[in-house]
Amino acid sequence: MAKKLVIKVTAGADAPERCSQAFTVAAVAVASGVEVSLWLTGESAWYALPGRAADFDLPHAAPLSDLLDSILTAGRITLCTQCAARREITEKDVIEGVRIAGAQVFVQESMADDTQALVY
């Protein structure tokens, strides 16, 4: 079993089920003791901002804000550099604990030994 899980979520409110699935898998993995790195790309980039996850609504799904909080407690959340720039999001705008990094870091994390990468 992989010791680290890298999850890239490319969807936000535009594809709520896919978005929720990525956050749910990340939160369950964190709760299971797996080292998790969640990457926010595309429309999910908005969830790096304070309060945005609270606006997400999907019937029969855990609140996105709760999932986000649980991931932040023991995992890492990264906002894609280009996705942030396209939305004029800077490091001073994001939730405490969220970093901004680019494709090089994503590839480095994804290719590490004992790592499984998933893209939603």
Side-chain angles (χ1 to χ4, degrees):
M1 182 163 121
K3 295 182 180 175
K4 183 172 183 182
L5 184 59
V6 178
I7 299 173
K8 179 186 252 190
V9 56
T10 62
D14 59 325
E17 286 184 296
R18 193 161 25 113
C19 179
S20 179
Q21 290 167 359
F23 277 83
T24 300
V25 168
V28 168
V30 165
S32 301
V34 176
E35 185 181 344
V36 173
S37 177
L38 178 68
W39 283 73
L40 305 177
T41 68
E43 287 302 297
S44 71
W46 295 114
Y47 301 121
L49 298 174
R52 286 292 184 103
D55 295 335
F56 183 90
D57 184 42
L58 180 63
H60 309 291
L64 198 68
S65 56
D66 292 350
L67 297 172
L68 182 68
D69 289 344
S70 69
I71 298 163
L72 277 170
T73 61
R76 168 177 276 165
I77 297 180
T78 304
L79 171 58
C80 161
T81 302
Q82 290 182 13
C83 301
R86 280 190 280 277
R87 290 159 181 81
E88 298 181 0
I89 299 172
T90 67
E91 289 196 8
K92 68 178 177 22
D93 300 318
V94 300
I95 297 167
E96 185 176 342
V98 173
R99 71 175 176 166
I100 297 177
Q104 178 184 2
V105 177
F106 176 78
V107 170
Q108 183 179 34
E109 283 188 12
S110 298
M111 298 305 296
D113 290 340
D114 296 323
T115 300
Q116 174 69 50
L118 303 173
V119 178
Y120 285 87

